[in-house]
Amino acid sequence: MKFLIAVSFIISSASAFAPAAVTQSSSTTALFMAENGDVQPLRIGTRGSPLAMAQAFETRRRLQEQFPELNQDGAIEICVLKTQGDMILDKSLMELGGKGLFTKELDVALLGNEVDICVHSMKDVPTWLPEGTILPCNLPREDTNDAFITKDNVYKSIEELPDGSVIGTASLRRQAQIMAKNPTLKCVNFRGNVQTRLRKLNDGVVDATLLAIAGLKRMDMDKHATSVLDWSEMLPAVAQGAIGIQCRSDDERSLKYIEALNHKETKVCVDCERAFLEALDGNCKTPIAGQARIVDGKIKFRGLIAMPDGSQKFEIESEGEMADAKDIGRAAGEKLKADAGDKFFQMMVEMSPQQVLGQLTK
């Protein structure tokens, strides 16, 4: 079934949601002139969730700080598009087909010259990009860890939850690590934006939930976190906490803008993690976690794959030079793939969505 792009709406750079920078400039030399002589704004494509909008506004702010001409009225437009992942909320991501659910419509708009750049949560971006596009920029990364949240902060950790407690999560990565700790816990499908999930928690639909602390911080909602789980408690998703900016590969104007925003250390770590995911040929049927960080000039990586019910888990740690980031991630993925064996991955391929979900129910 083919899903078409919803009609986008435009928010000018003077949006009431996020005021434009005060600095003004009369320079238009860096702005593109359309064939009719009008100044062509830089069009930012984004999803419409509160978190996606916060990331688009952060991108706009950084562009305006770096390039004074982009502070002019109308110099930047934010174009909001609906993706398949936004429109279907009653199914798990795995049942919908996994990766690309939050990017396909943005890719189409970018290649169709409806937008100039696209702002993504990097954990939603497939390891392959459509031909004719590149993703050369990652903004400085937020805290990558998961937040553990309970109503009234009754329990401070997964281990404190009573047997049989219900945890809301749409993530097989989280489910596998939760159930490895306590197989009696029940994970239920829990989708929607952050505000929706918190409301369901407060209404008693579940006993606890987990969200990326990065998203909560970007929306000034981190006060809702009961605790922040470190890597030993819950290894985060590949590229979690990172924002990526994509453009057409032949668009020199957009490339100039976004390359100036790239944060080298974040890009190195994200490249390492995505190479790990690519080596595993990861999809939403396989719980995969992977994180890299830079310590004393070296890159340190930790990765994990598991069965959805947590009954089997394979982990790896490696380190090396920053220049070898992709090779380190790729080698780690190939090692875990060999350790798990063909049978492990064949089981994932053959399982129906219902079998893979295990205890994860609607």
Side-chain angles (χ1 to χ4, degrees), residues 172-173 236-238 276-277 280-283 286-290 304-306:
L172 287 179
R173 168 188 64 85
V238 164
F276 168 73
L277 183 64
L280 288 168
D281 192 25
N283 57 55
T286 310
I288 297 175
L304 172 154
I305 59 174

Side-chain angles (χ1 to χ4, degrees), residues 190-202:
F190 210 58
R191 293 193 54 215
N193 62 39
V194 171
Q195 291 80 356
T196 299
R197 297 187 205 191
L198 292 177
R199 184 175 66 249
K200 289 180 179 178
L201 174 66
N202 289 327

Side-chain angles (χ1 to χ4, degrees), residues 15-300:
S15 165
F17 290 102
V22 175
T23 308
Q24 297 291 327
S25 169
S26 59
S27 170
T28 60
T29 55
L31 296 181
F32 176 73
M33 301 295 291
E35 289 184 4
N36 62 5
D38 293 338
V39 174
Q40 175 71 43
L42 184 69
R43 300 163 297 175
I44 300 176
T46 179
R47 295 166 53 206
S49 71
L51 176 57
M53 295 300 290
Q55 294 177 162
F57 291 140
E58 179 179 348
T59 300
R60 184 183 65 188
R61 175 182 61 79
R62 290 179 180 275
L63 284 166
Q64 290 175 327
E65 289 173 351
Q66 189 79 18
F67 298 97
E69 69 271 14
L70 293 180
N71 285 284
Q72 296 180 76
D73 256 358
I76 295 177
E77 290 181 351
I78 295 181
C79 307
V80 180
L81 298 102
K82 280 271 190 183
T83 68
Q84 182 182 357
D86 295 313
M87 291 185 278
I88 305 176
L89 298 176
D90 61 345
K91 295 182 183 293
S92 70
L93 298 180
M94 186 199 65
E95 290 176 289
L96 290 176
K99 288 291 184 181
L101 289 170
F102 297 106
T103 60
K104 289 177 184 175
E105 287 78 5
L106 292 169
D107 289 337
V108 171
L110 184 62
L111 289 170
N113 198 25
E114 296 174 44
V115 297
D116 300 306
I117 63 175
C118 291
V119 178
H120 300 288
S121 290
M122 281 302 300
K123 66 181 180 61
D124 295 331
V125 179
T127 53
W128 53 269
L129 295 174
E131 187 176 351
T133 74
I134 55 174
L135 206 159
C137 172
N138 289 135
L139 299 185
R141 199 173 196 174
E142 250 296 356
D143 185 339
T144 68
N145 292 326
D146 278 329
F148 178 71
I149 310 172
T150 57
K151 185 178 180 180
D152 301 324
N153 298 327
V154 175
Y155 306 106
K156 305 295 184 185
S157 68
I158 296 169
E159 287 81 1
E160 290 184 17
L161 288 171
D163 288 355
S165 294
V166 178
I167 301 177
T169 176
S171 164
L172 287 179
R173 168 188 64 85
R174 290 173 177 141
Q175 173 189 304
Q177 294 182 77
I178 288 167
M179 295 184 68
K181 296 175 185 292
N182 183 349
T184 75
L185 299 177
K186 182 179 181 181
C187 295
V188 298
N189 189 36
F190 210 58
R191 293 193 54 215
N193 62 39
V194 171
Q195 291 80 356
T196 299
R197 297 187 205 191
L198 292 177
R199 184 175 66 249
K200 289 180 179 178
L201 174 66
N202 289 327
D203 288 345
V205 176
V206 295
D207 299 306
T209 190
L210 286 84
L211 296 168
I213 190 63
L216 293 175
K217 285 185 174 182
R218 287 187 177 120
M219 294 185 290
D220 294 322
M221 296 178 68
D222 49 311
K223 63 183 179 183
H224 294 286
T226 300
S227 61
V228 178
L229 307 179
D230 63 29
W231 287 11
S232 64
E233 297 174 285
M234 180 64 62
L235 191 62
V238 164
Q240 185 160 307
I243 297 172
I245 309 178
Q246 177 189 19
C247 71
R248 291 179 294 277
S249 51
D250 61 355
D251 185 350
E252 294 182 7
R253 171 195 179 226
S254 295
L255 269 170
K256 181 196 76 170
Y257 285 139
I258 65 177
E259 283 181 336
L261 302 187
N262 184 51
H263 186 254
K264 180 182 176 181
E265 289 77 8
T266 297
K267 187 76 164 57
V268 166
C269 290
V270 169
D271 285 350
C272 176
E273 294 163 23
R274 283 168 59 80
F276 168 73
L277 183 64
E278 185 175 22
L280 288 168
D281 192 25
N283 57 55
C284 279
K285 280 189 176 183
T286 310
I288 297 175
Q291 285 282 292
R293 58 166 59 120
I294 295 171
V295 180
D296 296 329
K298 297 285 184 80
I299 191 161
K300 293 181 179 290

